[in-house]
Amino acid sequence: RWRVERFFAWLFNFRRTLVRHEHKAENYLAFVLLACMKIMLRYF
């Protein structure tokens, strides 16, 4: 549970994922995936 909650906290540190500026769902999903990749690459 802690890992999931911490991951969402890290994810919402990226302003574009917190405040949805994108009108298309595909673009928003792309920015969420970029944020996820950046979080994951931080630990490799």
Side-chain angles (χ1 to χ4, degrees), residues 14 32-44:
F14 295 93
V32 169
L33 291 176
L34 283 173
C36 292
M37 289 186 337
K38 191 170 181 179
I39 291 169
M40 294 300 292
L41 288 175
R42 193 182 319 173
Y43 294 102
F44 285 117

Side-chain angles (χ1 to χ4, degrees), residues 2 5-6 10 12-13 15 19 21 24 26 28 31-35 42-44:
W2 177 84
E5 289 175 0
R6 191 68 219 147
W10 285 331
F12 291 136
N13 282 336
R15 182 174 170 84
V19 179
H21 293 290
K24 294 187 178 184
E26 296 87 12
Y28 181 71
F31 281 109
V32 169
L33 291 176
L34 283 173
R42 193 182 319 173
Y43 294 102
F44 285 117

Side-chain angles (χ1 to χ4, degrees), residues 20-30:
R20 187 173 172 184
H21 293 290
E22 303 301 324
H23 297 290
K24 294 187 178 184
E26 296 87 12
N27 292 345
Y28 181 71
L29 179 62

